[in-house]
Amino acid sequence: MPTLEPVAPASASATPLASAAERPRRLGLVLALLLTVTMLPLSVVVLLQPAAQLTPPPAVLAAVLAVLAVLHAASVAAHRLPRAGFVVGSAAMLALALLPLAGGVAAAMLPSSLAFLLLIALAAGHPDAPAGWGAPMRWGALAVGLAGSALITAVHMVRAGRDEPLVSLGELLGLAAMVVAAWLGGALDRSRRERAAEAEAVRLRQAIAAERTRIGRDLHDVVAHSLTVMVAQAEAAMLLAETDPGRSRSAIDRVASTGRDAMQGLRGMVRVLDDGGPAEREPAPGIDGLAALVAGAASPRHDTAFAERGERRPLPPDAELALYRAVQEALTNAVRHVAPPVRIRVELVWGDADAVVTVIDDGGSGRSSGGQGAGTGLVGLAERLRQAGGDLVVWRDRGWSIRASVPTGEP
């Protein structure tokens, strides 16, 4: 069954943030698995290789191997449990720092320790929200890494009985440099993703603002058309007042009805400032134009069909226009993004309280030049429908489908 997803402009700005939180976790999982299948076997080889002269007693060897497995498991688990993964990984590194290999070398110097650097990078790269680390946790991860570097150096120096301060200082600086590099890499990646998320949020806000400007132009069309009809009917009523009172009353009724329609179109529309450019003079399209719109999208490789079910009910002008634009955008997307041959079916269903239009394509040949939900067109449609009191739902099965609904006026 396809999964329905409402397209809500109000929450559009949250989408980049959610993606920013998910991307580093997915990348971290891939890197953690890669380190597990490469560094863990390499660490085992180093431990068991006689030439390396690092093999500890059997009990210590078993403990080291177990802790290494825990460290890699923590790096993999950090994909879903970043805090728990870092805490467990830090504990594993502490144990490795205290477990001696032959020659006094700390087990924390084994290749598998790169998994802990990955945990530090993930901690530094994790966003603040949702459920992020926050600045104290990120700086805390850096502090833990630097403290671990000092501990590993001190343990190595004591166990090896080394009295060479410069060598120990070089070891400390080398370990600290790797920790800082991992932390900076994560922090820089987080900063880049946050800038990209903010740019995406700005782009969506601009798309909504542009759509509101278009709504303003469409509103101008609706009101201008309604006023033109009202003036013409009022003039006719004046001329027929004495010679044909019946037709005069009918004209006055038409004026009142047109005025009510115009008022309905004004309700729920936001006031926007236009750029002062010339507005189109032709009436805004509506329900009556849907059949022609669908037929106009047909071609030898694009099979389109329109069906209407139920009894028509009054619709506010802005709601009619919103449904028309929804069908127009869906047809455009299907023709532009779905590789032909493709069948597109448009159905308008009238209910007791709403009008629902559904546009479904069959996916064509299965090839696509871009997702229908990737641009700002659907964001603008959702905003337009929301202003008209309706909503927009988009889903994908074999092909793309949209469902746009608006409430009907009083019968």
Side-chain angles (χ1 to χ4, degrees):
M1 293 293 291
T3 301
L4 301 182
E5 284 188 83
V7 178
S11 62
S13 61
T15 301
L17 294 177
S19 298
E22 186 63 24
R23 280 194 293 267
R25 290 200 293 266
R26 290 198 299 264
L27 178 60
L29 176 61
V30 173
L31 292 177
L33 292 173
L34 182 62
L35 288 177
T36 300
V37 299
T38 57
M39 294 298 104
L40 183 56
L42 181 59
S43 296
V44 173
V45 170
V46 170
L47 284 170
L48 300 180
Q49 179 59 252
Q53 297 181 351
L54 295 176
T55 305
V60 177
L61 176 61
V64 170
L65 293 176
V67 175
L68 290 178
V70 170
L71 175 60
H72 283 288
S75 67
V76 173
H79 170 64
R80 287 299 178 189
L81 302 169
R83 291 186 181 88
F86 184 79
V87 171
V88 173
S90 299
M93 281 299 293
L94 176 60
L96 291 174
L98 299 177
L99 286 171
L101 302 179
V105 177
M109 301 293 288
L110 291 170
S112 285
S113 298
L114 291 176
F116 183 65
L117 295 180
L118 174 61
L119 289 173
I120 292 177
L122 290 177
H126 207 285
D128 290 330
W133 282 82
M137 292 296 294
R138 287 195 295 267
W139 287 104
L142 176 61
V144 169
L146 293 177
S149 300
L151 177 62
I152 293 171
T153 303
V155 170
H156 190 192
M157 183 175 62
V158 170
R159 285 188 176 145
R162 187 169 57 199
D163 189 14
E164 298 175 349
L166 290 180
V167 174
S168 297
L169 178 61
E171 180 180 331
L172 173 61
L173 293 178
L175 293 174
M178 289 191 292
V179 168
V180 171
W183 189 88
L184 286 177
L188 290 175
D189 183 63
R190 176 177 59 86
S191 177
R192 178 189 60 80
R193 285 184 280 103
E194 287 178 349
R195 289 196 301 270
E198 179 59 28
E200 179 69 8
V202 170
R203 186 183 71 87
L204 292 179
R205 287 196 295 268
Q206 290 174 343
I208 291 174
E211 184 61 27
R212 285 175 173 165
T213 300
R214 287 192 292 271
I215 291 174
R217 295 193 186 102
D218 291 337
L219 179 60
H220 176 276
D221 291 341
V222 171
V223 173
H225 175 66
S226 299
L227 289 178
T228 300
V229 173
M230 292 169 67
V231 170
Q233 294 295 329
E235 290 176 345
M238 292 175 60
L239 293 175
L240 297 173
E242 295 183 358
T243 59
D244 195 341
R247 292 179 62 191
S248 176
R249 285 193 298 272
S250 176
I252 293 174
D253 290 340
R254 178 71 181 275
V255 170
S257 176
T258 304
R260 284 192 296 270
D261 290 342
M263 288 300 298
Q264 286 180 324
L266 288 171
R267 293 190 185 103
M269 303 290 287
V270 295
R271 297 184 60 185
V272 295
L273 294 176
D274 206 344
D275 58 4
E280 297 178 0
R281 299 302 180 190
E282 62 183 37
I287 296 300
D288 292 335
L290 285 181
L293 178 66
V294 175
S299 75
R301 305 198 70 190
H302 297 86
D303 178 16
T304 65
F306 174 74
E308 183 175 357
R309 295 192 291 108
E311 181 182 357
R312 283 199 179 188
R313 296 178 178 274
L315 276 182
D318 62 318
E320 277 204 44
L321 182 59
L323 288 184
Y324 184 93
R325 296 301 187 206
V327 174
Q328 188 177 50
E329 178 71 11
L331 289 172
T332 300
N333 284 341
V335 172
R336 179 182 301 169
H337 298 299
V338 180
V342 58
R343 298 175 69 240
I344 308 169
R345 296 296 178 259
V346 181
E347 184 179 48
L348 173 62
V349 179
W350 296 90
D352 294 333
D354 61 2
V356 179
V357 64
T358 305
V359 184
I360 302 175
D361 70 73
D362 64 356
S365 65
R367 294 177 289 109
S368 174
S369 61
Q372 289 198 32
T376 58
L378 293 181
V379 175
L381 273 182
E383 176 68 9
R384 181 188 292 272
L385 287 161
R386 187 182 70 82
Q387 294 288 350
D391 65 355
L392 177 69
V393 178
V394 181
W395 73 96
R396 187 173 188 177
D397 193 359
R398 172 175 168 78
W400 284 97
S401 307
I402 75 162
R403 177 185 181 274
S405 64
V406 294
T408 56
E410 294 180 1

mmCIF file of all heavy atoms in Angstrom, residues 265-296:
data_model
loop_
_atom_site.group_PDB
_atom_site.id
_atom_site.type_symbol
_atom_site.label_atom_id
_atom_site.label_comp_id
_atom_site.label_asym_id
_atom_site.label_seq_id
_atom_site.Cartn_x
_atom_site.Cartn_y
_atom_site.Cartn_z
ATOM 1 N N GLY A 265 -14.487 34.422 -1.842
ATOM 2 C CA GLY A 265 -13.128 34.354 -2.350
ATOM 3 C C GLY A 265 -12.148 35.168 -1.527
ATOM 4 O O GLY A 265 -10.967 34.842 -1.436
ATOM 5 N N LEU A 266 -12.661 36.232 -0.901
ATOM 6 C CA LEU A 266 -11.788 37.069 -0.076
ATOM 7 C C LEU A 266 -11.466 36.418 1.258
ATOM 8 O O LEU A 266 -10.385 36.628 1.814
ATOM 9 C CB LEU A 266 -12.453 38.427 0.165
ATOM 10 C CG LEU A 266 -12.501 39.377 -1.041
ATOM 11 C CD1 LEU A 266 -13.376 40.579 -0.719
ATOM 12 C CD2 LEU A 266 -11.106 39.849 -1.397
ATOM 13 N N ARG A 267 -12.395 35.630 1.782
ATOM 14 C CA ARG A 267 -12.169 35.022 3.087
ATOM 15 C C ARG A 267 -11.012 34.029 3.026
ATOM 16 O O ARG A 267 -10.912 33.219 2.121
ATOM 17 C CB ARG A 267 -13.428 34.292 3.568
ATOM 18 C CG ARG A 267 -14.586 35.220 3.866
ATOM 19 C CD ARG A 267 -15.718 34.471 4.570
ATOM 20 N NE ARG A 267 -16.880 35.312 4.767
ATOM 21 C CZ ARG A 267 -17.984 35.261 4.030
ATOM 22 N NH1 ARG A 267 -18.067 34.372 3.057
ATOM 23 N NH2 ARG A 267 -18.988 36.067 4.265
ATOM 24 N N GLY A 268 -10.192 34.044 4.015
ATOM 25 C CA GLY A 268 -9.097 33.100 4.133
ATOM 26 C C GLY A 268 -7.869 33.423 3.302
ATOM 27 O O GLY A 268 -6.870 32.728 3.393
ATOM 28 N N MET A 269 -7.962 34.461 2.445
ATOM 29 C CA MET A 269 -6.811 34.843 1.630
ATOM 30 C C MET A 269 -5.958 35.849 2.397
ATOM 31 O O MET A 269 -6.469 36.776 3.014
ATOM 32 C CB MET A 269 -7.289 35.482 0.318
ATOM 33 C CG MET A 269 -8.216 34.609 -0.504
ATOM 34 S SD MET A 269 -7.379 33.190 -1.222
ATOM 35 C CE MET A 269 -6.438 33.989 -2.494
ATOM 36 N N VAL A 270 -4.681 35.663 2.367
ATOM 37 C CA VAL A 270 -3.789 36.602 3.038
ATOM 38 C C VAL A 270 -3.598 37.823 2.174
ATOM 39 O O VAL A 270 -3.620 37.744 0.944
ATOM 40 C CB VAL A 270 -2.421 35.947 3.323
ATOM 41 C CG1 VAL A 270 -2.550 34.816 4.287
ATOM 42 C CG2 VAL A 270 -1.763 35.471 2.036
ATOM 43 N N ARG A 271 -3.408 38.950 2.825
ATOM 44 C CA ARG A 271 -3.134 40.178 2.086
ATOM 45 C C ARG A 271 -1.656 40.204 1.721
ATOM 46 O O ARG A 271 -0.792 40.018 2.562
ATOM 47 C CB ARG A 271 -3.483 41.405 2.928
ATOM 48 C CG ARG A 271 -4.962 41.500 3.273
ATOM 49 C CD ARG A 271 -5.247 42.777 4.016
ATOM 50 N NE ARG A 271 -4.885 43.935 3.195
ATOM 51 C CZ ARG A 271 -4.939 45.183 3.630
ATOM 52 N NH1 ARG A 271 -5.275 45.439 4.876
ATOM 53 N NH2 ARG A 271 -4.609 46.179 2.830
ATOM 54 N N VAL A 272 -1.369 40.400 0.476
ATOM 55 C CA VAL A 272 0.021 40.446 0.021
ATOM 56 C C VAL A 272 0.245 41.718 -0.779
ATOM 57 O O VAL A 272 -0.689 42.306 -1.322
ATOM 58 C CB VAL A 272 0.363 39.214 -0.848
ATOM 59 C CG1 VAL A 272 0.281 37.954 -0.040
ATOM 60 C CG2 VAL A 272 -0.563 39.122 -2.058
ATOM 61 N N LEU A 273 1.457 42.181 -0.820
ATOM 62 C CA LEU A 273 1.839 43.332 -1.627
ATOM 63 C C LEU A 273 2.370 42.835 -2.960
ATOM 64 O O LEU A 273 3.334 42.076 -3.010
ATOM 65 C CB LEU A 273 2.914 44.150 -0.913
ATOM 66 C CG LEU A 273 2.458 44.835 0.378
ATOM 67 C CD1 LEU A 273 3.642 45.518 1.038
ATOM 68 C CD2 LEU A 273 1.360 45.848 0.096
ATOM 69 N N ASP A 274 1.756 43.250 -4.043
ATOM 70 C CA ASP A 274 2.214 42.858 -5.358
ATOM 71 C C ASP A 274 3.364 43.773 -5.773
ATOM 72 O O ASP A 274 3.666 44.763 -5.129
ATOM 73 C CB ASP A 274 1.048 42.962 -6.362
ATOM 74 C CG ASP A 274 1.229 42.027 -7.534
ATOM 75 O OD1 ASP A 274 2.356 41.552 -7.726
ATOM 76 O OD2 ASP A 274 0.238 41.799 -8.256
ATOM 77 N N ASP A 275 4.019 43.412 -6.874
ATOM 78 C CA ASP A 275 5.145 44.220 -7.345
ATOM 79 C C ASP A 275 4.702 45.378 -8.214
ATOM 80 O O ASP A 275 5.540 46.090 -8.772
ATOM 81 C CB ASP A 275 6.132 43.339 -8.125
ATOM 82 C CG ASP A 275 5.452 42.654 -9.306
ATOM 83 O OD1 ASP A 275 4.265 42.918 -9.548
ATOM 84 O OD2 ASP A 275 6.141 41.854 -9.980
ATOM 85 N N GLY A 276 3.381 45.563 -8.340
ATOM 86 C CA GLY A 276 2.879 46.687 -9.112
ATOM 87 C C GLY A 276 2.816 46.426 -10.596
ATOM 88 O O GLY A 276 2.486 47.312 -11.371
ATOM 89 N N GLY A 277 3.159 45.217 -11.036
ATOM 90 C CA GLY A 277 3.135 44.891 -12.450
ATOM 91 C C GLY A 277 1.709 44.751 -12.947
ATOM 92 O O GLY A 277 0.754 44.626 -12.178
ATOM 93 N N PRO A 278 1.516 44.768 -14.236
ATOM 94 C CA PRO A 278 0.173 44.654 -14.796
ATOM 95 C C PRO A 278 -0.431 43.294 -14.512
ATOM 96 O O PRO A 278 0.241 42.271 -14.610
ATOM 97 C CB PRO A 278 0.399 44.862 -16.305
ATOM 98 C CG PRO A 278 1.834 44.477 -16.533
ATOM 99 C CD PRO A 278 2.550 44.869 -15.290
ATOM 100 N N ALA A 279 -1.664 43.240 -14.109
ATOM 101 C CA ALA A 279 -2.359 41.990 -13.811
ATOM 102 C C ALA A 279 -3.104 41.493 -15.041
ATOM 103 O O ALA A 279 -3.523 42.270 -15.892
ATOM 104 C CB ALA A 279 -3.347 42.196 -12.656
ATOM 105 N N GLU A 280 -3.284 40.205 -15.144
ATOM 106 C CA GLU A 280 -4.050 39.633 -16.239
ATOM 107 C C GLU A 280 -5.514 40.016 -16.091
ATOM 108 O O GLU A 280 -6.036 40.135 -14.992
ATOM 109 C CB GLU A 280 -3.908 38.111 -16.234
ATOM 110 C CG GLU A 280 -2.473 37.642 -16.466
ATOM 111 C CD GLU A 280 -2.366 36.134 -16.407
ATOM 112 O OE1 GLU A 280 -3.426 35.508 -16.187
ATOM 113 O OE2 GLU A 280 -1.267 35.610 -16.580
ATOM 114 N N ARG A 281 -6.169 40.189 -17.237
ATOM 115 C CA ARG A 281 -7.554 40.656 -17.223
ATOM 116 C C ARG A 281 -8.568 39.550 -17.395
ATOM 117 O O ARG A 281 -9.748 39.764 -17.185
ATOM 118 C CB ARG A 281 -7.752 41.705 -18.342
ATOM 119 C CG ARG A 281 -6.880 42.942 -18.176
ATOM 120 C CD ARG A 281 -7.131 43.640 -16.863
ATOM 121 N NE ARG A 281 -6.299 44.812 -16.721
ATOM 122 C CZ ARG A 281 -6.180 45.504 -15.600
ATOM 123 N NH1 ARG A 281 -6.815 45.092 -14.508
ATOM 124 N NH2 ARG A 281 -5.404 46.560 -15.535
ATOM 125 N N GLU A 282 -8.143 38.380 -17.818
ATOM 126 C CA GLU A 282 -9.119 37.318 -18.038
ATOM 127 C C GLU A 282 -9.497 36.664 -16.713
ATOM 128 O O GLU A 282 -8.714 36.653 -15.766
ATOM 129 C CB GLU A 282 -8.552 36.277 -18.994
ATOM 130 C CG GLU A 282 -7.317 35.571 -18.476
ATOM 131 C CD GLU A 282 -6.758 34.610 -19.489
ATOM 132 O OE1 GLU A 282 -6.799 34.933 -20.688
ATOM 133 O OE2 GLU A 282 -6.296 33.540 -19.082
ATOM 134 N N PRO A 283 -10.721 36.136 -16.625
ATOM 135 C CA PRO A 283 -11.164 35.520 -15.371
ATOM 136 C C PRO A 283 -10.259 34.356 -14.976
ATOM 137 O O PRO A 283 -9.675 33.678 -15.816
ATOM 138 C CB PRO A 283 -12.585 35.046 -15.704
ATOM 139 C CG PRO A 283 -13.005 35.846 -16.892
ATOM 140 C CD PRO A 283 -11.753 36.110 -17.666
ATOM 141 N N ALA A 284 -10.167 34.136 -13.676
ATOM 142 C CA ALA A 284 -9.355 33.025 -13.178
ATOM 143 C C ALA A 284 -10.005 31.701 -13.569
ATOM 144 O O ALA A 284 -11.223 31.567 -13.553
ATOM 145 C CB ALA A 284 -9.220 33.111 -11.659
ATOM 146 N N PRO A 285 -9.217 30.699 -13.919
ATOM 147 C CA PRO A 285 -9.795 29.401 -14.294
ATOM 148 C C PRO A 285 -10.404 28.700 -13.088
ATOM 149 O O PRO A 285 -10.060 28.986 -11.943
ATOM 150 C CB PRO A 285 -8.590 28.636 -14.842
ATOM 151 C CG PRO A 285 -7.411 29.260 -14.169
ATOM 152 C CD PRO A 285 -7.754 30.710 -13.992
ATOM 153 N N GLY A 286 -11.297 27.753 -13.361
ATOM 154 C CA GLY A 286 -11.958 27.040 -12.271
ATOM 155 C C GLY A 286 -12.349 25.633 -12.678
ATOM 156 O O GLY A 286 -11.772 25.032 -13.591
ATOM 157 N N ILE A 287 -13.373 25.115 -12.000
ATOM 158 C CA ILE A 287 -13.802 23.731 -12.207
ATOM 159 C C ILE A 287 -14.221 23.478 -13.643
ATOM 160 O O ILE A 287 -13.916 22.424 -14.214
ATOM 161 C CB ILE A 287 -14.952 23.391 -11.239
ATOM 162 C CG1 ILE A 287 -14.471 23.465 -9.796
ATOM 163 C CG2 ILE A 287 -15.519 22.015 -11.541
ATOM 164 C CD1 ILE A 287 -13.353 22.507 -9.482
ATOM 165 N N ASP A 288 -14.899 24.430 -14.248
ATOM 166 C CA ASP A 288 -15.387 24.225 -15.613
ATOM 167 C C ASP A 288 -14.255 24.034 -16.612
ATOM 168 O O ASP A 288 -14.486 23.474 -17.696
ATOM 169 C CB ASP A 288 -16.250 25.410 -16.042
ATOM 170 C CG ASP A 288 -17.557 25.475 -15.275
ATOM 171 O OD1 ASP A 288 -18.003 24.400 -14.787
ATOM 172 O OD2 ASP A 288 -18.124 26.567 -15.140
ATOM 173 N N GLY A 289 -13.074 24.481 -16.272
ATOM 174 C CA GLY A 289 -11.956 24.350 -17.199
ATOM 175 C C GLY A 289 -11.123 23.109 -17.012
ATOM 176 O O GLY A 289 -10.136 22.911 -17.732
ATOM 177 N N LEU A 290 -11.482 22.244 -16.050
ATOM 178 C CA LEU A 290 -10.662 21.068 -15.772
ATOM 179 C C LEU A 290 -10.632 20.086 -16.940
ATOM 180 O O LEU A 290 -9.575 19.543 -17.288
ATOM 181 C CB LEU A 290 -11.155 20.358 -14.510
ATOM 182 C CG LEU A 290 -10.823 21.028 -13.177
ATOM 183 C CD1 LEU A 290 -11.352 20.190 -12.023
ATOM 184 C CD2 LEU A 290 -9.316 21.230 -13.040
ATOM 185 N N ALA A 291 -11.806 19.817 -17.531
ATOM 186 C CA ALA A 291 -11.855 18.850 -18.631
ATOM 187 C C ALA A 291 -10.960 19.292 -19.782
ATOM 188 O O ALA A 291 -10.193 18.498 -20.348
ATOM 189 C CB ALA A 291 -13.284 18.651 -19.101
ATOM 190 N N ALA A 292 -11.043 20.587 -20.132
ATOM 191 C CA ALA A 292 -10.205 21.096 -21.222
ATOM 192 C C ALA A 292 -8.734 21.072 -20.837
ATOM 193 O O ALA A 292 -7.861 20.798 -21.671
ATOM 194 C CB ALA A 292 -10.636 22.519 -21.576
ATOM 195 N N LEU A 293 -8.441 21.353 -19.567
ATOM 196 C CA LEU A 293 -7.056 21.325 -19.108
ATOM 197 C C LEU A 293 -6.467 19.928 -19.246
ATOM 198 O O LEU A 293 -5.337 19.752 -19.730
ATOM 199 C CB LEU A 293 -6.982 21.783 -17.660
ATOM 200 C CG LEU A 293 -5.603 21.762 -16.994
ATOM 201 C CD1 LEU A 293 -4.683 22.769 -17.654
ATOM 202 C CD2 LEU A 293 -5.730 22.030 -15.501
ATOM 203 N N VAL A 294 -7.220 18.919 -18.821
ATOM 204 C CA VAL A 294 -6.737 17.537 -18.906
ATOM 205 C C VAL A 294 -6.605 17.114 -20.361
ATOM 206 O O VAL A 294 -5.614 16.485 -20.755
ATOM 207 C CB VAL A 294 -7.688 16.594 -18.143
ATOM 208 C CG1 VAL A 294 -7.267 15.142 -18.325
ATOM 209 C CG2 VAL A 294 -7.707 16.950 -16.659
ATOM 210 N N ALA A 295 -7.585 17.458 -21.175
ATOM 211 C CA ALA A 295 -7.518 17.092 -22.588
ATOM 212 C C ALA A 295 -6.340 17.770 -23.276
ATOM 213 O O ALA A 295 -5.706 17.190 -24.158
ATOM 214 C CB ALA A 295 -8.828 17.458 -23.283
ATOM 215 N N GLY A 296 -6.016 18.995 -22.864
ATOM 216 C CA GLY A 296 -4.912 19.716 -23.479
ATOM 217 C C GLY A 296 -3.561 19.123 -23.179
ATOM 218 O O GLY A 296 -2.593 19.401 -23.881
#
